[in-house]
Amino acid sequence: MLESINQEQIKTIVEEVETPCFVYDESTLKRNVNRILENAADNGLDDRIQIYVSYFANSNPHLHKIVCGVRDNVGILLQSLSEFQQVSSYFGEENLPKMIASPSVLSLEEHNKWKSTGVQLNVSSLEEVKMLSTVDPQQAIDVRIDLSKNRKQRLGIKRGEIPELKRLISEGHLKLEGFHMYAGTGSSLDKMLKETEEAIIYSSKHFPSLQILNLGGGFDFDYDCFCDGDAKHFDWSTYFQRLAYLLDKYRISKNVQIYIEPGRDIFADSALFLLGIKNKKVWKKGVKDLCVDGSYVHMPSAMIRRRQHRVQFFNKEGRIMEKEGAKVRLAGATTLSRDFIFPGVIDAPNVRPAYVGVGDVGAYGATQFLRFLNQRSAPEVLITEKGDLKLLTQRGGDEDGLMRVLRNPTNISKNVVTKIPDLYRDPEGYKKGPYGMENETLMWHMAGALLLKEVLRINAGFAHGGLENASGVVTAETVLSKKIQVLDVCSGPGTFPDHLSLYIKNLVATCVDSSRSMLEMGRRKHAIQGWRFVEDDVVKMDLGKKFPIITASSAYHHILDENKIAFLENLKKHLLPDGVVLLCENFLPHYESPASRKKAVADYYNALECYYAVGNATPEAIEVIKEVRKLEESGIEEHKVSYEMFLKHLEITGLSIKTAIQVWNPNISYDFKAGSYVVVLKAF
């Protein structure tokens, strides 16, 4: 990778992305996969070998798409449900790769979730086997066995537990489908061959009916070999030659599939870490700290394992510079005394370089980024087989390390609502909510613009609410000077129609609410405008009149779920045939059960609090939203649903969306439709 990147690519990356950044090579990834499979084929194992690449070796799904796309017998090894969700999100349900999972500990709830995915699951303790024999007898299981020399691996059923394992399998009517061993990180060829033979002996002796023999990972990659080509890679030719011999010697059926997990060998030399040089002075004699704009937190494994990497220096034009005898250490960008990209001294040019590329960082590099020393995560760039450059991940933000910090810490000692916030009961307190929140104010201004559009359509006959050939000034003085009747529901003291009068000054509102104190305040404030305030239940009201415009800000989510359809039907009943309903509403991400709704609520309010914490709400409004969250969690007053559920309610009630504008998106990965909306509805 260090030698294959060219001058123009270096210049473009520096100009478009800047340093520090990780750069991957698609051709190298594919070549590394093919090297393994071709060596397997050369030894007659091509139809038996399955490769599973550890997702935690490099957690960029775009790179795994490349790796899994090389051959059908390449998949992904997972360790958690969150990894499965990310892979599913990026691959798409119809294009999921082969996957197996080896979680460290498996609860019954996690087992049930994994089972629903169809992913092959390895269990690693007798307790887990016992649990499966109780809750899901007669199923096929895969187990992780610790055959290491010291028997002290954190995970895996130990040798001495094999008799108990066999008993549980027999009594629970389970079928042992697969056997998973692990030799340990960075295992040499000799060690891997010894561990492989032991695994084959053990499986043939104790579990002769196995269908899968998973020989695990740990295949060594030689970081100390400062060279390109195959020399630093694991000796797959010798390994597969010996493996074929052992399978034949111990009469392992050809129907048994052999799994291997060579993530490091596939990813390691596929990437370099490109760093900018910060030193401005010329070189002097002796060892010099070459200060770069990255830090060890960007790829901590090198310092943790006391491991050096190959490097290449470049001038400001992106040309390779020869190492001429200068001695340097790559010092990180922070004040931490031990912040070095990797330990030790390396050769460097005698003239100051502009950039340095650190090689062999594709495995356990960017994926191990630490939120320490307040550094931003480095972006990742891919060089495609055609030579194009693609940005895979963006550089982290300045406050990424603080992204989940609440400006006002929440008291979690007792999450019980003791009172309804003033927002809902006190007319003066009501103002602190909507007017203090950026997303609410944005919704109201967008609603004003859409109201103006609809009034032009209704009063002036302009087809789409534009001016057509009319004068804006004349239209404002004539068409917009006419009174327009508006029904506002869940109105409080009329705050929403009051805001809309910024856009339509002759708006005449009929405001309906169940709070008498709110209505009294509204009557006093808007007496001169002749607004009408009605105390009634918006689900059951019958005003005996239809309106061209009905407005409702944050009304729908205050209606009990069982009354939401009746509420929408009542709005339709009060709507003129050519009229519209103008809604401002907040929606949760998708959920399918009470349990998943709880998660949706948490994800929504966590995102909202982070959004408010960076200047998008007043301190008073932030306090209000804390109380609102408690109400939502307790099912009092707040009854938000997903956008998907809202659409279903509309379909039932005979209303359809004419316009829907999302003004705030919480960026929740599993549902980008959540957030704050302004919606115009019409009857059909």
Side-chain angles (χ1 to χ4, degrees), residues 24 26 29-30 55 58-69 76 86-87 89-91 267 380-382 384 390-394:
Y24 298 89
E26 182 178 13
L29 283 170
K30 290 184 175 180
Y55 195 65
N58 188 306
S59 300
N60 191 313
H62 296 292
L63 301 177
H64 282 271
K65 272 190 175 181
I66 294 171
V67 170
C68 292
I76 301 176
Q86 189 178 60
V87 169
S89 173
Y90 279 83
F91 277 74
F267 276 117
E380 294 171 284
V381 174
L382 175 70
T384 70
K390 292 187 176 181
L391 183 64
L392 302 183
T393 58
Q394 295 179 325

PDB file of all heavy atoms in Angstrom, residues 24 26 29-30 55 58-69 76 86-87 89-91 267 380-382 384 390-394:
ATOM      1  N   TYR A  24      -7.299   3.406   2.344  1.00  0.00           N
ATOM      2  CA  TYR A  24      -7.381   1.976   2.050  1.00  0.00           C
ATOM      3  C   TYR A  24      -7.262   1.741   0.551  1.00  0.00           C
ATOM      4  O   TYR A  24      -7.605   2.602  -0.259  1.00  0.00           O
ATOM      5  CB  TYR A  24      -8.720   1.399   2.529  1.00  0.00           C
ATOM      6  CG  TYR A  24      -8.930   1.492   4.016  1.00  0.00           C
ATOM      7  CD1 TYR A  24      -9.514   2.624   4.585  1.00  0.00           C
ATOM      8  CD2 TYR A  24      -8.542   0.460   4.864  1.00  0.00           C
ATOM      9  CE1 TYR A  24      -9.708   2.722   5.951  1.00  0.00           C
ATOM     10  CE2 TYR A  24      -8.738   0.542   6.233  1.00  0.00           C
ATOM     11  CZ  TYR A  24      -9.323   1.679   6.766  1.00  0.00           C
ATOM     12  OH  TYR A  24      -9.507   1.771   8.126  1.00  0.00           O
ATOM     13  N   GLU A  26      -8.529  -0.861  -2.387  1.00  0.00           N
ATOM     14  CA  GLU A  26      -9.461  -1.941  -2.724  1.00  0.00           C
ATOM     15  C   GLU A  26      -8.739  -3.136  -3.339  1.00  0.00           C
ATOM     16  O   GLU A  26      -9.044  -4.294  -3.018  1.00  0.00           O
ATOM     17  CB  GLU A  26     -10.524  -1.415  -3.694  1.00  0.00           C
ATOM     18  CG  GLU A  26     -11.565  -2.454  -4.072  1.00  0.00           C
ATOM     19  CD  GLU A  26     -12.644  -1.908  -4.999  1.00  0.00           C
ATOM     20  OE1 GLU A  26     -12.449  -0.792  -5.543  1.00  0.00           O
ATOM     21  OE2 GLU A  26     -13.676  -2.591  -5.169  1.00  0.00           O
ATOM     22  N   LEU A  29      -7.126  -5.351  -0.663  1.00  0.00           N
ATOM     23  CA  LEU A  29      -8.108  -6.157   0.060  1.00  0.00           C
ATOM     24  C   LEU A  29      -8.503  -7.392  -0.741  1.00  0.00           C
ATOM     25  O   LEU A  29      -8.531  -8.517  -0.216  1.00  0.00           O
ATOM     26  CB  LEU A  29      -9.347  -5.317   0.371  1.00  0.00           C
ATOM     27  CG  LEU A  29      -9.258  -4.327   1.526  1.00  0.00           C
ATOM     28  CD1 LEU A  29     -10.475  -3.413   1.541  1.00  0.00           C
ATOM     29  CD2 LEU A  29      -9.134  -5.057   2.858  1.00  0.00           C
ATOM     30  N   LYS A  30      -8.820  -7.207  -2.003  1.00  0.00           N
ATOM     31  CA  LYS A  30      -9.244  -8.334  -2.830  1.00  0.00           C
ATOM     32  C   LYS A  30      -8.094  -9.316  -3.050  1.00  0.00           C
ATOM     33  O   LYS A  30      -8.308 -10.541  -3.057  1.00  0.00           O
ATOM     34  CB  LYS A  30      -9.773  -7.810  -4.167  1.00  0.00           C
ATOM     35  CG  LYS A  30     -11.096  -7.071  -4.048  1.00  0.00           C
ATOM     36  CD  LYS A  30     -11.629  -6.657  -5.411  1.00  0.00           C
ATOM     37  CE  LYS A  30     -13.016  -6.031  -5.283  1.00  0.00           C
ATOM     38  NZ  LYS A  30     -13.566  -5.622  -6.604  1.00  0.00           N
ATOM     39  N   TYR A  55     -15.509  -8.529  12.404  1.00  0.00           N
ATOM     40  CA  TYR A  55     -15.981  -7.163  12.184  1.00  0.00           C
ATOM     41  C   TYR A  55     -15.213  -6.176  13.053  1.00  0.00           C
ATOM     42  O   TYR A  55     -15.015  -5.029  12.668  1.00  0.00           O
ATOM     43  CB  TYR A  55     -17.477  -7.079  12.479  1.00  0.00           C
ATOM     44  CG  TYR A  55     -18.132  -5.823  11.956  1.00  0.00           C
ATOM     45  CD1 TYR A  55     -18.214  -5.574  10.596  1.00  0.00           C
ATOM     46  CD2 TYR A  55     -18.667  -4.883  12.825  1.00  0.00           C
ATOM     47  CE1 TYR A  55     -18.805  -4.429  10.105  1.00  0.00           C
ATOM     48  CE2 TYR A  55     -19.264  -3.726  12.341  1.00  0.00           C
ATOM     49  CZ  TYR A  55     -19.331  -3.505  10.985  1.00  0.00           C
ATOM     50  OH  TYR A  55     -19.914  -2.359  10.506  1.00  0.00           O
ATOM     51  N   ASN A  58     -11.864  -4.458  11.721  1.00  0.00           N
ATOM     52  CA  ASN A  58     -12.074  -3.176  11.054  1.00  0.00           C
ATOM     53  C   ASN A  58     -13.576  -3.014  10.891  1.00  0.00           C
ATOM     54  O   ASN A  58     -14.204  -3.753  10.137  1.00  0.00           O
ATOM     55  CB  ASN A  58     -11.387  -3.106   9.692  1.00  0.00           C
ATOM     56  CG  ASN A  58     -11.453  -1.717   9.096  1.00  0.00           C
ATOM     57  OD1 ASN A  58     -12.524  -1.128   8.957  1.00  0.00           O
ATOM     58  ND2 ASN A  58     -10.294  -1.161   8.761  1.00  0.00           N
ATOM     59  N   SER A  59     -14.145  -2.063  11.600  1.00  0.00           N
ATOM     60  CA  SER A  59     -15.603  -1.955  11.675  1.00  0.00           C
ATOM     61  C   SER A  59     -16.207  -1.022  10.632  1.00  0.00           C
ATOM     62  O   SER A  59     -17.249  -0.422  10.872  1.00  0.00           O
ATOM     63  CB  SER A  59     -16.012  -1.491  13.080  1.00  0.00           C
ATOM     64  OG  SER A  59     -15.578  -2.410  14.042  1.00  0.00           O
ATOM     65  N   ASN A  60     -15.555  -0.900   9.490  1.00  0.00           N
ATOM     66  CA  ASN A  60     -16.120  -0.091   8.405  1.00  0.00           C
ATOM     67  C   ASN A  60     -16.891  -1.010   7.456  1.00  0.00           C
ATOM     68  O   ASN A  60     -16.293  -1.821   6.743  1.00  0.00           O
ATOM     69  CB  ASN A  60     -15.011   0.635   7.639  1.00  0.00           C
ATOM     70  CG  ASN A  60     -15.570   1.681   6.692  1.00  0.00           C
ATOM     71  OD1 ASN A  60     -16.512   1.429   5.949  1.00  0.00           O
ATOM     72  ND2 ASN A  60     -14.990   2.875   6.714  1.00  0.00           N
ATOM     73  N   PRO A  61     -18.224  -0.907   7.416  1.00  0.00           N
ATOM     74  CA  PRO A  61     -19.018  -1.834   6.599  1.00  0.00           C
ATOM     75  C   PRO A  61     -18.732  -1.720   5.109  1.00  0.00           C
ATOM     76  O   PRO A  61     -18.915  -2.693   4.368  1.00  0.00           O
ATOM     77  CB  PRO A  61     -20.458  -1.447   6.926  1.00  0.00           C
ATOM     78  CG  PRO A  61     -20.388  -0.039   7.441  1.00  0.00           C
ATOM     79  CD  PRO A  61     -19.078   0.061   8.135  1.00  0.00           C
ATOM     80  N   HIS A  62     -18.286  -0.554   4.640  1.00  0.00           N
ATOM     81  CA  HIS A  62     -17.962  -0.403   3.222  1.00  0.00           C
ATOM     82  C   HIS A  62     -16.809  -1.331   2.824  1.00  0.00           C
ATOM     83  O   HIS A  62     -16.807  -1.907   1.732  1.00  0.00           O
ATOM     84  CB  HIS A  62     -17.584   1.045   2.908  1.00  0.00           C
ATOM     85  CG  HIS A  62     -18.695   2.021   3.120  1.00  0.00           C
ATOM     86  ND1 HIS A  62     -19.816   2.045   2.333  1.00  0.00           N
ATOM     87  CD2 HIS A  62     -18.859   3.002   4.046  1.00  0.00           C
ATOM     88  CE1 HIS A  62     -20.634   3.002   2.751  1.00  0.00           C
ATOM     89  NE2 HIS A  62     -20.074   3.594   3.787  1.00  0.00           N
ATOM     90  N   LEU A  63     -15.847  -1.480   3.726  1.00  0.00           N
ATOM     91  CA  LEU A  63     -14.709  -2.359   3.448  1.00  0.00           C
ATOM     92  C   LEU A  63     -15.132  -3.820   3.483  1.00  0.00           C
ATOM     93  O   LEU A  63     -14.651  -4.637   2.688  1.00  0.00           O
ATOM     94  CB  LEU A  63     -13.590  -2.094   4.454  1.00  0.00           C
ATOM     95  CG  LEU A  63     -13.047  -0.661   4.465  1.00  0.00           C
ATOM     96  CD1 LEU A  63     -11.998  -0.492   5.552  1.00  0.00           C
ATOM     97  CD2 LEU A  63     -12.463  -0.284   3.103  1.00  0.00           C
ATOM     98  N   HIS A  64     -16.039  -4.157   4.394  1.00  0.00           N
ATOM     99  CA  HIS A  64     -16.524  -5.539   4.451  1.00  0.00           C
ATOM    100  C   HIS A  64     -17.345  -5.886   3.217  1.00  0.00           C
ATOM    101  O   HIS A  64     -17.373  -7.048   2.795  1.00  0.00           O
ATOM    102  CB  HIS A  64     -17.339  -5.756   5.727  1.00  0.00           C
ATOM    103  CG  HIS A  64     -16.490  -5.944   6.946  1.00  0.00           C
ATOM    104  ND1 HIS A  64     -16.032  -7.174   7.356  1.00  0.00           N
ATOM    105  CD2 HIS A  64     -15.982  -5.054   7.824  1.00  0.00           C
ATOM    106  CE1 HIS A  64     -15.300  -7.042   8.442  1.00  0.00           C
ATOM    107  NE2 HIS A  64     -15.253  -5.759   8.748  1.00  0.00           N
ATOM    108  N   LYS A  65     -18.006  -4.895   2.634  1.00  0.00           N
ATOM    109  CA  LYS A  65     -18.718  -5.147   1.373  1.00  0.00           C
ATOM    110  C   LYS A  65     -17.732  -5.588   0.286  1.00  0.00           C
ATOM    111  O   LYS A  65     -18.028  -6.475  -0.514  1.00  0.00           O
ATOM    112  CB  LYS A  65     -19.454  -3.889   0.921  1.00  0.00           C
ATOM    113  CG  LYS A  65     -20.857  -3.744   1.482  1.00  0.00           C
ATOM    114  CD  LYS A  65     -21.593  -2.606   0.796  1.00  0.00           C
ATOM    115  CE  LYS A  65     -23.031  -2.522   1.263  1.00  0.00           C
ATOM    116  NZ  LYS A  65     -23.788  -1.446   0.601  1.00  0.00           N
ATOM    117  N   ILE A  66     -16.571  -4.948   0.269  1.00  0.00           N
ATOM    118  CA  ILE A  66     -15.549  -5.310  -0.718  1.00  0.00           C
ATOM    119  C   ILE A  66     -15.059  -6.725  -0.463  1.00  0.00           C
ATOM    120  O   ILE A  66     -14.993  -7.559  -1.370  1.00  0.00           O
ATOM    121  CB  ILE A  66     -14.373  -4.311  -0.661  1.00  0.00           C
ATOM    122  CG1 ILE A  66     -14.833  -2.923  -1.106  1.00  0.00           C
ATOM    123  CG2 ILE A  66     -13.208  -4.802  -1.514  1.00  0.00           C
ATOM    124  CD1 ILE A  66     -13.808  -1.835  -0.875  1.00  0.00           C
ATOM    125  N   VAL A  67     -14.726  -7.015   0.786  1.00  0.00           N
ATOM    126  CA  VAL A  67     -14.174  -8.323   1.148  1.00  0.00           C
ATOM    127  C   VAL A  67     -15.183  -9.438   0.879  1.00  0.00           C
ATOM    128  O   VAL A  67     -14.863 -10.471   0.277  1.00  0.00           O
ATOM    129  CB  VAL A  67     -13.747  -8.322   2.634  1.00  0.00           C
ATOM    130  CG1 VAL A  67     -13.391  -9.727   3.095  1.00  0.00           C
ATOM    131  CG2 VAL A  67     -12.561  -7.383   2.841  1.00  0.00           C
ATOM    132  N   CYS A  68     -16.429  -9.229   1.318  1.00  0.00           N
ATOM    133  CA  CYS A  68     -17.456 -10.265   1.134  1.00  0.00           C
ATOM    134  C   CYS A  68     -17.858 -10.410  -0.327  1.00  0.00           C
ATOM    135  O   CYS A  68     -18.425 -11.437  -0.711  1.00  0.00           O
ATOM    136  CB  CYS A  68     -18.685  -9.942   1.983  1.00  0.00           C
ATOM    137  SG  CYS A  68     -18.395 -10.079   3.758  1.00  0.00           S
ATOM    138  N   GLY A  69     -17.567  -9.406  -1.131  1.00  0.00           N
ATOM    139  CA  GLY A  69     -17.926  -9.459  -2.540  1.00  0.00           C
ATOM    140  C   GLY A  69     -16.943 -10.215  -3.407  1.00  0.00           C
ATOM    141  O   GLY A  69     -17.196 -10.447  -4.588  1.00  0.00           O
ATOM    142  N   ILE A  76     -18.789 -12.580   7.554  1.00  0.00           N
ATOM    143  CA  ILE A  76     -18.385 -11.696   8.649  1.00  0.00           C
ATOM    144  C   ILE A  76     -18.602 -12.396   9.988  1.00  0.00           C
ATOM    145  O   ILE A  76     -19.629 -13.044  10.210  1.00  0.00           O
ATOM    146  CB  ILE A  76     -19.187 -10.379   8.627  1.00  0.00           C
ATOM    147  CG1 ILE A  76     -18.979  -9.645   7.308  1.00  0.00           C
ATOM    148  CG2 ILE A  76     -18.792  -9.473   9.793  1.00  0.00           C
ATOM    149  CD1 ILE A  76     -19.807  -8.376   7.166  1.00  0.00           C
ATOM    150  N   GLN A  86     -25.678  -2.812  12.442  1.00  0.00           N
ATOM    151  CA  GLN A  86     -24.927  -1.931  11.547  1.00  0.00           C
ATOM    152  C   GLN A  86     -24.680  -2.604  10.200  1.00  0.00           C
ATOM    153  O   GLN A  86     -24.856  -1.984   9.144  1.00  0.00           O
ATOM    154  CB  GLN A  86     -23.600  -1.524  12.179  1.00  0.00           C
ATOM    155  CG  GLN A  86     -22.874  -0.441  11.386  1.00  0.00           C
ATOM    156  CD  GLN A  86     -21.593   0.000  12.038  1.00  0.00           C
ATOM    157  OE1 GLN A  86     -20.698  -0.809  12.242  1.00  0.00           O
ATOM    158  NE2 GLN A  86     -21.492   1.275  12.361  1.00  0.00           N
ATOM    159  N   VAL A  87     -24.285  -3.857  10.223  1.00  0.00           N
ATOM    160  CA  VAL A  87     -24.058  -4.590   8.976  1.00  0.00           C
ATOM    161  C   VAL A  87     -25.349  -4.652   8.164  1.00  0.00           C
ATOM    162  O   VAL A  87     -25.356  -4.408   6.949  1.00  0.00           O
ATOM    163  CB  VAL A  87     -23.532  -6.009   9.269  1.00  0.00           C
ATOM    164  CG1 VAL A  87     -23.543  -6.853   7.994  1.00  0.00           C
ATOM    165  CG2 VAL A  87     -22.121  -5.949   9.841  1.00  0.00           C
ATOM    166  N   SER A  89     -27.854  -2.638   8.242  1.00  0.00           N
ATOM    167  CA  SER A  89     -28.212  -1.307   7.763  1.00  0.00           C
ATOM    168  C   SER A  89     -27.446  -0.954   6.494  1.00  0.00           C
ATOM    169  O   SER A  89     -28.016  -0.395   5.551  1.00  0.00           O
ATOM    170  CB  SER A  89     -27.930  -0.270   8.858  1.00  0.00           C
ATOM    171  OG  SER A  89     -28.124   1.039   8.384  1.00  0.00           O
ATOM    172  N   TYR A  90     -26.158  -1.296   6.424  1.00  0.00           N
ATOM    173  CA  TYR A  90     -25.337  -0.895   5.288  1.00  0.00           C
ATOM    174  C   TYR A  90     -25.422  -1.874   4.115  1.00  0.00           C
ATOM    175  O   TYR A  90     -25.318  -1.470   2.957  1.00  0.00           O
ATOM    176  CB  TYR A  90     -23.879  -0.715   5.719  1.00  0.00           C
ATOM    177  CG  TYR A  90     -23.633   0.617   6.378  1.00  0.00           C
ATOM    178  CD1 TYR A  90     -23.900   0.810   7.729  1.00  0.00           C
ATOM    179  CD2 TYR A  90     -23.175   1.699   5.645  1.00  0.00           C
ATOM    180  CE1 TYR A  90     -23.706   2.043   8.333  1.00  0.00           C
ATOM    181  CE2 TYR A  90     -22.971   2.936   6.237  1.00  0.00           C
ATOM    182  CZ  TYR A  90     -23.238   3.099   7.583  1.00  0.00           C
ATOM    183  OH  TYR A  90     -23.048   4.317   8.176  1.00  0.00           O
ATOM    184  N   PHE A  91     -25.617  -3.168   4.401  1.00  0.00           N
ATOM    185  CA  PHE A  91     -25.722  -4.146   3.320  1.00  0.00           C
ATOM    186  C   PHE A  91     -27.136  -4.189   2.752  1.00  0.00           C
ATOM    187  O   PHE A  91     -27.314  -4.446   1.569  1.00  0.00           O
ATOM    188  CB  PHE A  91     -25.334  -5.542   3.819  1.00  0.00           C
ATOM    189  CG  PHE A  91     -23.856  -5.809   3.824  1.00  0.00           C
ATOM    190  CD1 PHE A  91     -23.032  -5.236   4.779  1.00  0.00           C
ATOM    191  CD2 PHE A  91     -23.280  -6.635   2.874  1.00  0.00           C
ATOM    192  CE1 PHE A  91     -21.675  -5.485   4.802  1.00  0.00           C
ATOM    193  CE2 PHE A  91     -21.922  -6.889   2.879  1.00  0.00           C
ATOM    194  CZ  PHE A  91     -21.110  -6.311   3.845  1.00  0.00           C
ATOM    195  N   PHE A 267      -6.842  -7.503   6.296  1.00  0.00           N
ATOM    196  CA  PHE A 267      -6.938  -6.047   6.416  1.00  0.00           C
ATOM    197  C   PHE A 267      -5.593  -5.335   6.605  1.00  0.00           C
ATOM    198  O   PHE A 267      -5.435  -4.185   6.190  1.00  0.00           O
ATOM    199  CB  PHE A 267      -7.842  -5.675   7.585  1.00  0.00           C
ATOM    200  CG  PHE A 267      -9.303  -5.663   7.253  1.00  0.00           C
ATOM    201  CD1 PHE A 267     -10.180  -6.528   7.872  1.00  0.00           C
ATOM    202  CD2 PHE A 267      -9.810  -4.785   6.309  1.00  0.00           C
ATOM    203  CE1 PHE A 267     -11.533  -6.522   7.571  1.00  0.00           C
ATOM    204  CE2 PHE A 267     -11.155  -4.762   5.982  1.00  0.00           C
ATOM    205  CZ  PHE A 267     -12.021  -5.639   6.619  1.00  0.00           C
ATOM    206  N   GLU A 380     -11.719   8.249   6.690  1.00  0.00           N
ATOM    207  CA  GLU A 380     -11.205   7.102   5.953  1.00  0.00           C
ATOM    208  C   GLU A 380     -11.513   7.282   4.472  1.00  0.00           C
ATOM    209  O   GLU A 380     -12.633   7.616   4.096  1.00  0.00           O
ATOM    210  CB  GLU A 380     -11.832   5.808   6.469  1.00  0.00           C
ATOM    211  CG  GLU A 380     -11.432   5.496   7.906  1.00  0.00           C
ATOM    212  CD  GLU A 380     -12.225   4.329   8.478  1.00  0.00           C
ATOM    213  OE1 GLU A 380     -13.406   4.524   8.831  1.00  0.00           O
ATOM    214  OE2 GLU A 380     -11.663   3.217   8.555  1.00  0.00           O
ATOM    215  N   VAL A 381     -10.508   7.041   3.641  1.00  0.00           N
ATOM    216  CA  VAL A 381     -10.616   7.201   2.189  1.00  0.00           C
ATOM    217  C   VAL A 381     -10.299   5.862   1.531  1.00  0.00           C
ATOM    218  O   VAL A 381      -9.421   5.126   1.986  1.00  0.00           O
ATOM    219  CB  VAL A 381      -9.637   8.284   1.683  1.00  0.00           C
ATOM    220  CG1 VAL A 381      -9.634   8.353   0.158  1.00  0.00           C
ATOM    221  CG2 VAL A 381      -9.999   9.643   2.279  1.00  0.00           C
ATOM    222  N   LEU A 382     -11.004   5.549   0.470  1.00  0.00           N
ATOM    223  CA  LEU A 382     -10.753   4.320  -0.284  1.00  0.00           C
ATOM    224  C   LEU A 382     -10.232   4.651  -1.670  1.00  0.00           C
ATOM    225  O   LEU A 382     -10.805   5.488  -2.378  1.00  0.00           O
ATOM    226  CB  LEU A 382     -12.046   3.509  -0.414  1.00  0.00           C
ATOM    227  CG  LEU A 382     -11.960   2.245  -1.282  1.00  0.00           C
ATOM    228  CD1 LEU A 382     -11.118   1.186  -0.596  1.00  0.00           C
ATOM    229  CD2 LEU A 382     -13.347   1.711  -1.611  1.00  0.00           C
ATOM    230  N   THR A 384     -10.166   3.059  -5.097  1.00  0.00           N
ATOM    231  CA  THR A 384     -10.843   1.959  -5.785  1.00  0.00           C
ATOM    232  C   THR A 384      -9.903   1.295  -6.786  1.00  0.00           C
ATOM    233  O   THR A 384      -8.816   1.804  -7.085  1.00  0.00           O
ATOM    234  CB  THR A 384     -12.099   2.450  -6.517  1.00  0.00           C
ATOM    235  OG1 THR A 384     -11.702   3.258  -7.633  1.00  0.00           O
ATOM    236  CG2 THR A 384     -12.993   3.256  -5.579  1.00  0.00           C
ATOM    237  N   LYS A 390     -12.653   7.659  -2.802  1.00  0.00           N
ATOM    238  CA  LYS A 390     -13.968   7.769  -2.180  1.00  0.00           C
ATOM    239  C   LYS A 390     -13.819   7.984  -0.682  1.00  0.00           C
ATOM    240  O   LYS A 390     -13.101   7.249  -0.011  1.00  0.00           O
ATOM    241  CB  LYS A 390     -14.794   6.510  -2.444  1.00  0.00           C
ATOM    242  CG  LYS A 390     -15.202   6.338  -3.894  1.00  0.00           C
ATOM    243  CD  LYS A 390     -16.166   5.171  -4.057  1.00  0.00           C
ATOM    244  CE  LYS A 390     -16.656   5.061  -5.493  1.00  0.00           C
ATOM    245  NZ  LYS A 390     -17.623   3.939  -5.649  1.00  0.00           N
ATOM    246  N   LEU A 391     -14.526   8.993  -0.173  1.00  0.00           N
ATOM    247  CA  LEU A 391     -14.528   9.247   1.266  1.00  0.00           C
ATOM    248  C   LEU A 391     -15.528   8.299   1.918  1.00  0.00           C
ATOM    249  O   LEU A 391     -16.719   8.329   1.615  1.00  0.00           O
ATOM    250  CB  LEU A 391     -14.918  10.704   1.535  1.00  0.00           C
ATOM    251  CG  LEU A 391     -14.901  11.145   3.007  1.00  0.00           C
ATOM    252  CD1 LEU A 391     -13.491  11.078   3.581  1.00  0.00           C
ATOM    253  CD2 LEU A 391     -15.467  12.565   3.139  1.00  0.00           C
ATOM    254  N   LEU A 392     -15.049   7.448   2.825  1.00  0.00           N
ATOM    255  CA  LEU A 392     -15.899   6.457   3.491  1.00  0.00           C
ATOM    256  C   LEU A 392     -16.458   6.964   4.809  1.00  0.00           C
ATOM    257  O   LEU A 392     -17.615   6.715   5.136  1.00  0.00           O
ATOM    258  CB  LEU A 392     -15.118   5.161   3.746  1.00  0.00           C
ATOM    259  CG  LEU A 392     -14.511   4.468   2.528  1.00  0.00           C
ATOM    260  CD1 LEU A 392     -13.840   3.170   2.957  1.00  0.00           C
ATOM    261  CD2 LEU A 392     -15.564   4.195   1.467  1.00  0.00           C
ATOM    262  N   THR A 393     -15.631   7.647   5.587  1.00  0.00           N
ATOM    263  CA  THR A 393     -16.087   8.211   6.862  1.00  0.00           C
ATOM    264  C   THR A 393     -15.564   9.630   6.992  1.00  0.00           C
ATOM    265  O   THR A 393     -14.448   9.937   6.555  1.00  0.00           O
ATOM    266  CB  THR A 393     -15.604   7.389   8.078  1.00  0.00           C
ATOM    267  OG1 THR A 393     -14.173   7.318   8.053  1.00  0.00           O
ATOM    268  CG2 THR A 393     -16.174   5.991   8.059  1.00  0.00           C
ATOM    269  N   GLN A 394     -16.359  10.483   7.606  1.00  0.00           N
ATOM    270  CA  GLN A 394     -15.961  11.877   7.785  1.00  0.00           C
ATOM    271  C   GLN A 394     -15.100  12.048   9.029  1.00  0.00           C
ATOM    272  O   GLN A 394     -15.096  11.207   9.932  1.00  0.00           O
ATOM    273  CB  GLN A 394     -17.206  12.748   7.920  1.00  0.00           C
ATOM    274  CG  GLN A 394     -18.067  12.800   6.668  1.00  0.00           C
ATOM    275  CD  GLN A 394     -19.289  13.655   6.858  1.00  0.00           C
ATOM    276  OE1 GLN A 394     -19.865  13.688   7.941  1.00  0.00           O
ATOM    277  NE2 GLN A 394     -19.703  14.355   5.828  1.00  0.00           N
TER     278      GLN A 394
END
